[in-house]
């Protein structure tokens, strides 16, 4: 079963999903090992691998380790066109639809399309929406876009609706990695009520309670990264909170 079919199937059956975000720059090989071990034990659903900026050239090695140590699908979550690896299973082909930077909407995609065409990667189109979260995040700075204000549920809802109408297969509400505040639950509820495609929510989720709240508000797939960099042992608690929501 493809990664997208699995996400869709679980979403349609109200089975909440957890993805662990692994930023290869932020973890050394021992920490990637520890994350892999805890993630496998906890039965998480996917790994997302990527970052706004990768400096250390560890992407391939990181994916190799995750694939060797677990059977969990690895999905590229690229901050830019340099972050490609044939070792992954799939790629979130992100169009930053909350912004008005043409490079992030379509420009980078044109550059990477021929590479993806000949790769074995499953390409999953995704409307990526950056939501204001209390302080400037790396993705905001690097993408040179303005996030949607956190109290503008109507803008978020219409943006997500337009993304679905354009044929995108997923919508991702992103507060930004390490965000001060996660995406508000009222915004998640509003966006979910207007969509028939799966909804991903991530950024600033640090506790199982927050993950559970985000699921109950309507997220089909929750993404957590920073909290596990400090404490990989938290993965099992977070997975239980998500899977029981
Ligand atoms: C960032 O949504 C992800 O792209 C995860 O964010 O690192 O804050 O968990 P955190």
């Amino acid at each position: 079963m493809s990664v997208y079919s699995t996400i869709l199937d679980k979403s349609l059956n109200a089975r909440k999903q957890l993805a662990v975000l692994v930023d290869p720059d932020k973890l050394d090989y021992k920490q990637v090992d520890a994350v892999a071990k805890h993630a496998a034990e906890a039965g998480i659903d996917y790994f997302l691998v990527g970052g706004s900026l990768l400096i250390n050239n560890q992407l391939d090695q990181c994916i190799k380790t995750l694939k060797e140590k677990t059977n969990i699908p690895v999905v590229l979550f690229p901050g830019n066109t340099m972050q490609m690896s044939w070792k992954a299973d799939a790629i979130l082909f992100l169009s930053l639809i909350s912004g008005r930077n043409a490079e992030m909407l379509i420009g980078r995609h044109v550059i990477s399309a021929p590479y993806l065409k000949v790769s074995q990667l499953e390409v999953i189109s995704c409307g990526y929406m950056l939501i204001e979260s209390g302080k400037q995040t790396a993705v905001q700075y690097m993408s040179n876009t303005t996030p949607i204000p956190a109290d503008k549920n109507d803008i978020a809802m219409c943006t997500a609706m337009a993304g679905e109408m354009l044929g995108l297969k997923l919508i991702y509400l992103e507060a930004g990695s390490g965000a001060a505040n996660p995406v508000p639950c009222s915004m998640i509820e509003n966006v979910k009520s207007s969509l028939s495609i799966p909804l991903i929510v991530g950024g600033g989720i640090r506790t199982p309670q927050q993950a559970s709240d985000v699921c109950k508000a309507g997220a089909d797939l929750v993404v957590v990264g920073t909290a596990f960099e400090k404490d990989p042992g938290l993965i099992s608690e977070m997975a239980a909170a998500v899977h029981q929501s």
Side-chain angles (χ1 to χ4, degrees), residues 19 21 26 48 50-52 77 128 139 172-180 200-206 222-229:
L21 173 67
K26 297 207 178 129
L48 294 191
S52 288
F77 178 56
Y128 193 48
V139 60
Y172 190 144
L173 292 180
E174 170 71 277
S177 193
I200 305 176
V201 178
I205 297 167
R206 293 178 180 79
V222 178
V223 183
V224 179
T226 304
F228 301 147
E229 286 162 13

Side-chain angles (χ1 to χ4, degrees), residues 144-177:
N144 196 17
T145 65
T146 306
I148 293 175
D151 61 349
K152 299 294 180 200
N153 292 351
D154 49 354
I155 297 178
M157 194 167 75
C158 295
T159 305
M161 280 165 52
E164 178 173 359
M165 288 171 184
L166 282 165
L168 299 169
K169 289 177 166 174
L170 296 170
I171 295 293
Y172 190 144
L173 292 180
E174 170 71 277
S177 193

Side-chain angles (χ1 to χ4, degrees), residues 84 86 93 107-119:
M84 295 285 172
W86 289 28
F93 203 42
R108 303 278 174 88
H109 311 69
V110 173
I111 293 166
S112 50
Y115 175 95
L116 293 171
K117 184 86 176 166
V118 297
S119 80

